Amino acid sequence: MREGNLIDGRWVGADSGATFEVSDPATDRVVGRVPDAGADEARRAVDAAFGAFSAWAAKPAIERAKVLEALSARLAGDREELAALLTEEQGKPLPEARAEIDYARSFFEVSAKACQEIRDETPSVPGKKVLVHRRPIGVAAAITPWNFPMAMLAKKIAPAMAVGCTQVLKPAEQTPLSAIALLDRAMASGVPPGVLNLVTGDPAAIGSAWLEDPRVRKLSFTGSTDVGRILMRGAATNLQRLSLELGGHAPMIVFEDASVDFAVEMAMAAKYRNGGQTCICPNRFLVHRSLHDQFVSKFASRSAALVSGRGRDPGIALGPMIDDAAIDKVEAHVADAIQQGATVVTGGRRRRIEGLADRFFEPTVLTDCHSGMRCWKEETFGPVCPIRGFDDETEALAQANDSEYGLASYVVTNDPARIRRLGDELRTGIIGVNDPGPAVAAVPFGGVKHSGFGREGGRWGLEEYLEMVTVSSLEPGAE
Ligand code: NAD
């Protein structure tokens, strides 16, 4: 396994030779060591990306598409090895890691097709011949989080590479090994030196070096809203284009016409993926009063039965929280809710497991929740499910929209008129109607309000890396 940075096609260490450790959050065992790089290495990565840009951008789309397809095939071939690595550094159950590799691959496949469908446009203007042309924006930077270390990077690499951009990439400190493995496969699939460059180390130093460099024309960031704000301020000097995929606080609304069993299935699938450490997973449950008690009882008993442990072991549904700060936050949110009157139906505490790190939290279902509680306003990012009842659609909608975030929302109903209304009125970028997994590579994914802006997925994802040029010529003889 490689443990270096990739600059201009070469695997290198930090200038200082310094490294930092990567450990398995379930056991604290050190599983890798990567370069602790900073601004100088980040600038050299831009040199390489800038140098490689013209040649990569000039390739026909079909040639770039072939490289993306080759990378997808290689990821498929190495699926087991990559999934094991992902689980080791991130903690999620192995079946979820495999699903993440498949999800990552789907972005290469979708982008390979979509880049061949980009066409010039010719709007009709009297007396003029106008061509609207799209060209790659240039060097693009990407900074990604730890919760989906392979997929979040693929969502950025695939569209950028497809349209002819070159990139500088920084994965999260907790999970750089999956990123390194992905770039290793990319190089083996025919990506030319300099097209993809990866730097691990000091986030602020690397991020600032990229934003201070006018050759970097785009930054795509997935992570917390607070860091998104810092980066947006940093982008003001050189006016880099931004895509910000930030925090979420998804409501799930269960209406009176829903089947309780289906609603419970949907809640289980949407909520517990990655132990609740998923930006689009429901953080608040709004359940019609006529179904409330039945839903709570079934959801709590299903939740209590989930088995926690090392992600690589069979039958595990919940891995560890990523680090100590993450589990401390989950615990603090639950304590705050209890102190403010919530009832613990199941869970509520850490789950100690013999021989493993103290980073497991019980699946927790809370009732009697209200909007003054931290878990109702802030991202808990853990297996905690606060529930409150509602009486009618107007009340449910007002509660669902009462959040600074606007990434995803979920609705369980079979009423077509209601589905249409909510599609207009829920203030989130993604709405899952009877669908616990609305995020797929072929459709736009992204938020509104403090969940950011920009979209990933399908041809919409490619647009983020293209700039439009209008070429306007006077027709001969026109005034
Ligand atoms: P984070 O914001 O702490 O870190 C994300 C990335 O930013 C990491 O690579 C980190 O090293 C880097 N970073 C931190 N400070 C930086 C700085 N000053 N300059 C440059 N880079 C910096 O987030 P996290 O804890 O890794 O991830 C969890 C967050 O990500 C949650 O808020 C979650 O909702 C969000 N998320 C959003 C989406 C989405 O698509 N909207 C997807 C996954 C995760």
Side-chain angles (χ1 to χ4, degrees):
M1 185 175 67
R2 294 187 187 278
E3 299 185 342
N5 285 177
L6 180 67
I7 300 181
D8 210 8
R10 281 187 295 280
W11 292 95
V12 293
D15 292 354
S16 65
T19 58
F20 65 91
E21 287 176 350
V22 182
S23 56
D24 177 346
T27 60
D28 283 332
R29 191 174 73 83
V30 174
V31 294
R33 206 174 279 280
V34 301
D36 194 1
D40 289 342
E41 295 89 335
R43 275 189 288 271
R44 281 205 301 280
V46 178
D47 294 344
F50 192 69
F53 174 66
S54 301
W56 182 247
K59 276 192 189 299
I62 191 165
E63 294 300 320
R64 293 194 301 265
K66 278 184 193 152
V67 176
L68 267 68
E69 280 158 3
L71 174 52
S72 171
R74 198 166 283 270
L75 296 177
D78 292 348
R79 182 176 187 249
E80 278 309 302
E81 193 187 326
L82 293 168
L85 176 67
L86 207 170
T87 287
E88 197 167 42
E89 70 170 347
Q90 203 278 335
K92 67 180 61 181
L94 198 50
E96 292 191 26
R98 291 191 188 107
E100 182 174 340
I101 307 299
D102 298 342
Y103 182 49
R105 282 185 54 217
S106 64
F107 283 91
F108 291 104
E109 286 170 11
V110 165
S111 300
K113 284 198 185 67
C115 74
Q116 298 177 68
E117 288 159 11
I118 298 165
R119 300 275 179 272
D120 290 343
E121 291 170 78
T122 51
S124 145
V125 181
K128 292 186 178 193
K129 190 171 169 211
V130 177
L131 186 75
V132 177
H133 172 62
R134 285 176 174 76
R135 66 184 177 201
I137 194 163
V139 175
I143 299 179
T144 51
W146 49 264
N147 60 346
F148 289 84
M150 186 69 82
M152 295 297 136
L153 207 55
K155 279 179 157 200
K156 302 188 188 307
I157 293 177
M161 225 172 40
V163 299
C165 289
T166 55
Q167 278 180 301
V168 290
L169 312 157
K170 194 203 81 62
E173 307 78 280
Q174 296 92 334
T175 55
L177 302 179
S178 295
I180 291 170
L182 175 56
L183 284 238
D184 176 52
R185 289 354 181 241
M187 297 312 287
S189 306
V191 174
V195 170
L196 298 177
N197 304 275
L198 179 92
V199 184
T200 53
D202 181 343
I206 295 167
S208 303
W210 290 345
L211 291 172
E212 284 162 11
D213 193 325
R215 295 173 299 173
V216 175
R217 295 314 317 143
K218 160 93 192 175
L219 169 68
S220 178
F221 170 73
T222 300
S224 61
T225 298
D226 285 346
V227 174
R229 283 196 185 94
I230 294 172
L231 296 172
M232 192 162 174
R233 279 187 212 109
T237 306
N238 287 307
L239 294 166
Q240 280 103 347
R241 240 167 81 189
L242 293 173
S243 301
L244 298 178
E245 302 282 353
L246 307 178
H249 205 286
M252 175 179 278
I253 315 174
V254 181
F255 283 100
E256 64 273 26
D257 65 315
S259 137
V260 171
D261 288 339
F262 178 79
V264 169
E265 284 309 318
M266 181 157 153
M268 296 298 294
K271 175 67 206 181
Y272 290 114
R273 198 173 332 129
N274 202 13
Q277 303 173 107
T278 303
C279 54
I280 59 166
C281 72
N283 271 266
R284 300 171 281 154
F285 293 82
L286 293 157
V287 183
H288 192 270
R289 275 193 217 290
S290 62
L291 307 180
H292 178 274
D293 292 358
Q294 222 191 333
F295 176 86
V296 167
S297 139
K298 289 188 174 185
F299 185 39
S301 74
R302 287 286 307 280
S303 298
L306 295 175
V307 180
S308 304
R310 276 187 92 169
R312 70 175 194 190
D313 293 336
I316 297 301
L318 290 180
M321 301 287 95
I322 188 71
D323 54 24
D324 292 341
I327 192 159
D328 289 349
K329 182 180 180 192
V330 172
E331 194 170 48
H333 277 202
V334 172
D336 168 77
I338 294 170
Q339 200 254 325
Q340 294 203 56
T343 303
V344 180
V345 186
T346 187
R349 290 170 311 178
R350 290 172 187 245
R351 189 174 255 177
R352 315 269 174 189
I353 303 174
E354 181 71 28
L356 296 186
D358 180 19
R359 258 180 230 116
F360 294 84
F361 205 84
E362 292 175 339
T364 297
V365 175
L366 305 171
T367 53
D368 305 309
C369 294
H370 61 75
S371 54
M373 294 172 178
R374 288 185 68 189
C375 64
W376 203 267
K377 292 183 294 208
E378 300 170 30
E379 262 189 313
T380 307
F381 237 51
V384 177
C385 311
I387 303 180
R388 69 190 278 191
F390 68 86
D391 290 310
D392 60 35
E393 186 180 305
T394 308
E395 183 191 352
L397 188 62
Q399 288 182 8
N401 283 337
D402 182 20
S403 170
E404 67 190 28
Y405 293 111
L407 186 56
S409 53
Y410 298 87
V411 176
V412 196
T413 182
N414 295 304
D415 177 344
R418 172 176 279 151
I419 293 169
R420 266 198 307 282
R421 277 196 302 278
L422 294 176
D424 277 344
E425 290 174 20
L426 276 169
R427 294 284 172 256
T428 63
I430 302 153
I431 306 174
V433 181
N434 305 324
D435 180 2
V440 295
V443 305
F445 177 101
V448 300
K449 301 198 284 185
H450 291 192
S451 293
F453 48 80
R455 293 293 180 266
E456 291 178 326
R459 67 178 165 79
W460 303 274
L462 271 58
E463 294 284 351
E464 302 279 327
Y465 295 90
L466 291 167
E467 59 190 12
M468 245 182 267
V469 189
T470 302
V471 184
S472 175
S473 333
L474 271 187
E475 293 279 19
E479 293 281 305

